[in-house]
């Protein structure tokens, strides 16, 4: 089989290390190059994956020209997604953009336009897409177990983006406080804040659960602590033709959900016409309630099988088999979610309910 050449562009998002690990462990892929303007940000990956100096770059165009990759992974700051994606798309290179899609709907459309010009394949990775609990919930929905979906409730967040590195390596409180004033995560111009960091999960996976339906209007409220440019807590209400859904984001939970679920628990509750499903992050079961069985009961999660376990193997499978990108990684579905996000941002600024942006 072909060995796919994959490059990592920008280490501003800590998930780059996790995605490069997938490439490193894939039997038919290799890390052809990595690139970041700040060499220090690449040091850990260079050591972990034994990347030779000739595969390390500080200029994106030079990296792509020298390596001629089959796939680019983009982990830039949110506000730079469009800039980096346009460079890769201009060369016809397929790409995975690590969540969120973009800092704005205008940027999302810039990316879509650039991709359309050359026909490059693009996926937007939402790590929760690979949660067995969420996959199981979607299967139950598609099977009609709880009827038609009418409400989606999401609570998403963690202690904060600076408390962990790739592979969820812990960062001390002292180091977090040192980094916070300088981090792009806390800069408005860079696309920081809990709303932009986490509402995309609720909006994107919620749109997936709602079978692509878009809301009519959106109302959002944020809490912006004194001294910060961005919010650390937001609540967004989406009004659909059939009911209300709620998307809540939080930096500052007492614990991270991948170690100990905080309260409220991070995850989704889906309400249908004939029942409800709860699927919480990292749980090994979902909880189901139906008209025929009103007592809430647990069902074990589905076992995810290749090539549907993680983003790199999935996108390389789609490339090999010439298949479309589907589900929450589909750019068209992600654009619907971006409309929700942009409307929420504007609603919070204007402190009023707004019609969904077109």
């Amino acid at each position: 089989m072909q060995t796919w050449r994959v490059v990592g562009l920008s280490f501003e998002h800590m998930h780059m290390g996790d995605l490069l690990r997938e490439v490193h462990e894939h039997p038919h892929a290799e890390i052809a190059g990595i690139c970041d303007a700040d060499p220090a940000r690449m040091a850990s990956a260079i050591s972990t994956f034994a990347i030779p100096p000739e595969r390390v770059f500080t200029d994106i165009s030079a990296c792509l020209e020298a390596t001629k990759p089959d796939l680019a992974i983009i982990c830039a700051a949110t506000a730079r997604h469009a800039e980096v994606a346009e460079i890769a798309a201009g060369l016809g290179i397929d790409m995975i953009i690590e969540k969120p899609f973009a800092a704005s709907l205008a940027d999302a459309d810039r990316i879509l336009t650039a991709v359309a010009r050359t026909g490059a394949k693009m996926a937007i990775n939402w790590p929760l897409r690979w949660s067995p609990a969420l996959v199981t919930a979607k299967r139950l929905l598609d099977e009609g177990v709880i009827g038609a979906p009418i409400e989606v409730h999401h609570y998403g967040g963690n202690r904060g983006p600076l408390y962990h590195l790739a592979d969820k390596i812990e960062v001390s409180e002292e180091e977090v406080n040192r980094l916070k004033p300088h981090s792009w995560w806390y800069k408005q111009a860079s696309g920081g804040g809990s709303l932009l960091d986490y509402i995309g999960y609720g909006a994107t996976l919620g749109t997936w659960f709602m079978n692509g339906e878009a809301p009519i209007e959106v109302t959002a409220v944020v809490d912006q602590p004194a001294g910060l440019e961005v919010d650390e807590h937001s609540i967004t209400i989406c009004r659909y033709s059939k009911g209300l859904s709620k998307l809540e984001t939080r930096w500052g939970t007492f614990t991270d959900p991948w170690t100990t679920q905080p309260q409220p628990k991070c995850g989704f509750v889906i309400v249908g016409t004939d029942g409800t499903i709860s699927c919480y992050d990292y749980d090994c079961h979902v909880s189901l309630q139906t008209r025929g069985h009103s007592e809430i009961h647990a069902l074990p999660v589905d076992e995810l099988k290749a090539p549907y376990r993680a983003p790199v193997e999935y996108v390389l499978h789609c490339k090999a088999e010439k298949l479309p990108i589907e589900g929450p990684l589909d750019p068209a579905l992600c654009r619907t979610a971006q409309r929700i996000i942009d409307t929420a941002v504007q609603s919070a600024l204007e402190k009023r309910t707004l019609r969904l942006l077109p």
Side-chain angles (χ1 to χ4, degrees):
M1 289 183 65
Q2 174 179 357
T3 296
W4 300 102
R5 296 173 56 78
V6 184
V7 296
L9 305 181
S10 183
F11 284 65
E12 290 175 299
H13 197 302
M14 82 289 289
H15 288 180
M16 177 61 86
D18 304 313
L19 293 166
L20 288 178
R21 181 173 296 284
E22 287 186 42
V23 179
H24 181 70
E25 294 177 353
H26 194 288
H28 303 294
E30 65 175 354
I31 301 173
I34 58 173
C35 181
D36 194 284
D38 181 357
R41 283 199 289 249
M42 298 185 282
S44 177
I46 292 168
S47 173
T48 299
F49 306 117
I51 301 172
E54 63 271 17
R55 296 192 179 194
V56 178
F57 300 84
T58 56
D59 179 81
I60 290 173
S61 295
C63 174
L64 297 177
E65 188 63 34
T67 60
K68 295 180 170 46
D70 301 297
L71 179 69
I73 297 171
I74 297 173
C75 285
T78 306
R80 296 184 58 242
H81 281 189
E83 170 196 338
V84 179
E86 282 179 331
I87 296 172
L91 297 172
I93 298 168
D94 295 341
M95 68 190 85
I96 296 174
I97 298 177
E98 183 66 354
K99 68 88 186 170
F101 186 1
S104 66
L105 187 59
D107 276 5
D109 285 341
R110 277 178 61 189
I111 297 170
L112 291 169
T113 298
V115 168
R117 285 196 191 106
T118 59
K121 190 183 292 289
M122 178 178 67
I124 299 92
N125 180 52
W126 299 90
L128 283 180
R129 158 63 181 88
W130 314 104
S131 161
L134 270 67
V135 172
T136 305
K138 176 59 173 170
R139 175 181 62 77
L140 294 171
L141 270 172
D142 290 346
E143 291 173 357
V145 171
I146 65 167
I150 55 176
E151 300 173 29
V152 173
H153 302 271
H154 180 237
Y155 184 85
N158 53 47
R159 287 184 297 157
L162 301 179
Y163 281 90
H164 56 279
L165 305 174
D167 296 325
K168 298 293 187 284
I169 295 172
E170 294 279 333
V171 174
S172 69
E173 189 80 32
E174 294 74 22
E175 183 68 1
V176 169
N177 291 333
R178 186 185 71 81
L179 294 172
K180 202 168 184 177
H182 314 288
S183 170
W184 76 266
W185 292 98
Y186 287 88
K187 302 296 183 186
Q188 195 173 64
S190 297
S194 84
L195 189 152
L196 280 179
D197 183 28
Y198 259 93
I199 191 178
Y201 278 116
T204 306
L205 292 159
T207 300
W208 189 41
F209 291 143
M210 295 289 280
N211 297 318
E213 183 179 351
I216 298 166
E217 60 186 23
V218 174
T219 309
V221 178
V222 299
D223 176 54
Q224 186 171 321
L228 293 183
E229 293 183 18
V230 298
D231 72 281
E232 290 191 309
H233 191 187
S234 76
I235 297 176
T236 298
I237 300 167
C238 298
R239 183 173 73 83
Y240 290 82
S241 60
K242 59 188 74 170
L244 302 176
S245 291
K246 177 171 66 68
L247 315 174
E248 187 168 357
T249 72
R250 183 71 170 107
W251 285 350
T253 57
F254 277 94
T255 53
D256 291 315
W258 51 84
T259 54
T260 303
Q261 269 281 14
Q263 294 187 116
K265 292 180 73 172
C266 292
F268 288 83
V269 176
I270 308 151
V271 179
T273 53
D274 296 313
T276 66
I277 301 171
S278 66
C279 49
Y280 294 107
D281 299 356
Y282 309 101
D283 270 3
C284 58
H285 69 276
V286 301
S287 295
L288 177 65
Q289 179 185 44
T290 63
R291 291 195 187 279
H293 190 168
S294 59
E295 183 178 340
I296 297 173
H297 55 289
L299 296 177
V301 299
D302 298 344
E303 179 186 357
L304 303 190
K305 297 181 179 179
Y308 302 99
R309 301 170 300 182
V312 172
E313 71 171 12
Y314 170 70
V315 172
L316 291 179
H317 167 72
C318 290
K319 282 174 61 63
E321 301 298 325
K322 297 181 171 51
L323 297 172
I325 301 294
E326 296 182 326
L329 281 72
D330 175 7
L333 186 146
C334 288
R335 188 185 188 278
T336 297
Q338 191 71 50
R339 293 166 62 199
I340 296 172
I341 296 164
D342 273 39
T343 310
V345 170
Q346 194 62 32
S347 169
L349 284 172
E350 297 185 18
K351 301 184 185 301
R352 66 188 181 97
T353 299
L354 295 176
R355 298 284 294 188
L356 184 70
L357 291 172

